[in-house]
Amino acid sequence: TAQLTRRYRRVAERLDRAAIYLGAYRGAALVGFLTAFRHAGVLYPKFVGFDYGVSETLFLYFNLVYYRLIEEAIALGLREIYYGPSADEGKLLRGCALEPLYCGYRALMPRADGLAAWYLPRLHRETEDRNRDLLATFGQRPEDVVPDP
């Protein structure tokens, strides 16, 4: 859309020196792109887009977001890529390490505190169980997760 194009151009103009642009082509046609930003020695992939008519047959997502981005980070002398807090299994399959992630909660309505007191401990236990099972699939333990700095 035009609004998304304008927003993307503003980001590119303001962060151009920190930005890395990667493209995937089929012949002369652009079929995938990735924009990442580097800051303090870390590479942060931020925007991706694909021609989904051809992306599956070319494995564009994995080739661009993981393998090509890793090559680019090495070429730039960067030692870390921060992929964010989702798709853990795919990341572990490609050698990523999990890090602890914390969040805060503040009720905006007094009655929400009771719901939060009931729900958040359950969510925490479910997440810990899921992560423990996921790590076990890869022969790791929760103690193997990268500790806080």
Side-chain angles (χ1 to χ4, degrees):
T1 67
Q3 181 181 8
L4 185 58
T5 301
R6 284 191 303 274
R7 181 183 310 158
Y8 189 74
R9 283 191 179 135
R10 278 195 312 270
V11 168
E13 289 167 2
R14 292 179 182 156
L15 298 172
D16 187 52
R17 292 190 316 180
I20 293 163
Y21 305 99
L22 301 176
Y25 295 86
R26 186 176 216 179
L30 180 67
V31 293
F33 78 91
L34 177 139
T35 301
F37 299 102
R38 59 183 159 184
H39 175 70
V42 180
L43 195 53
Y44 297 88
K46 190 62 178 167
F47 303 110
V48 295
F50 302 101
D51 176 344
Y52 290 101
V54 298
S55 67
E56 271 190 44
T57 58
L58 299 177
F59 302 101
L60 285 179
Y61 180 82
F62 295 107
N63 281 312
L64 199 56
V65 174
Y66 289 97
Y67 309 121
R68 180 66 184 94
L69 190 60
I70 290 168
E71 290 173 353
E72 189 69 21
I74 291 168
L76 293 168
L78 302 174
R79 299 179 50 88
E80 186 175 344
I81 301 171
Y82 181 77
Y83 281 107
S86 63
D88 294 335
E89 186 171 356
K91 292 171 187 167
L92 286 169
L93 280 168
R94 284 157 187 83
C96 294
L98 295 180
E99 292 182 338
L101 178 66
Y102 302 95
C103 68
Y105 167 78
R106 179 177 161 221
L108 298 178
M109 298 178 301
R111 293 187 349 207
D113 277 334
L115 179 61
W118 173 84
Y119 177 70
L120 292 176
R122 286 167 178 74
L123 177 62
H124 179 74
R125 280 192 301 277
E126 289 173 15
T127 302
E128 281 191 334
D129 291 346
R130 179 189 156 282
N131 288 343
R132 189 174 15 270
D133 293 345
L134 180 60
L135 287 168
T137 302
F138 293 91
Q140 298 179 28
R141 301 165 308 176
E143 300 82 51
D144 298 329
V145 172
V146 176
D148 291 330

